[in-house]
């Protein structure tokens, strides 16, 4: 069972990147999938989540309007389309699954990360100004 994030790289501010999270050893159909990021010296941040049906999506305030999460059942994958990249988006991005859905904490409203599992190796995104 593995989740592999890929698609990171170096970009200029304003550029776009598309991250992929591909599952192997199991089908993603029954799981919510979240994207998280962690920059050096900072706490891990949940940036986006998509429910198993794809009908519900969550975005953190820092990426709302710029990032779009989607999933492909045929490809057993989830994608994060990132546009309007900013230097503060620089981080290692990880994906993980949660069988319980995209759960949020009450206050502040954030993605509840404790239920996520199978954190794969992340992919580095570096945005320069």
């Amino acid at each position: 069972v593995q989740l592999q994030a890929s698609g990171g790289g170096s970009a200029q501010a304003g550029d776009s990147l598309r991250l992929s999270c591909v599952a192997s050893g199991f089908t993603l159909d029954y799981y919510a999938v979240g994207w998280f990021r962690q920059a050096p010296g900072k706490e891990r941040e949940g940036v986006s989540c998509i429910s198993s049906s794809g009908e519900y999506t969550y975005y953190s305030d820092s990426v709302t309007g710029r990032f779009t999460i989607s999933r492909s059942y045929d490809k057993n994958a989830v994608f994060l389309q990132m546009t309007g990249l900013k230097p503060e988006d620089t981080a290692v991005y990880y994906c993980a699954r949660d069988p319980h859905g995209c759960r949020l904490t009450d206050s502040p409203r954030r993605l509840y990360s404790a239920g996520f599992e199978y954190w794969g190796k992340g992919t580095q995104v570096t945005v320069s100004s």
Side-chain angles (χ1 to χ4, degrees), residues 77-127:
V78 169
F79 307 99
L80 187 68
Q81 179 68 48
M82 306 187 297
T83 63
L85 284 166
K86 303 176 180 180
E88 50 264 44
D89 294 321
T90 296
V92 178
Y93 285 71
Y94 302 88
C95 61
R97 74 179 195 185
D98 190 333
H100 303 292
C102 300
R103 293 176 289 176
L104 305 181
T105 59
D106 288 334
S107 182
R109 182 176 173 272
R110 293 178 181 173
L111 191 59
Y112 179 68
S113 64
F116 283 86
E117 57 187 14
Y118 292 107
W119 299 80
K121 291 183 179 180
T123 185
Q124 175 72 46
V125 172
T126 302
V127 184

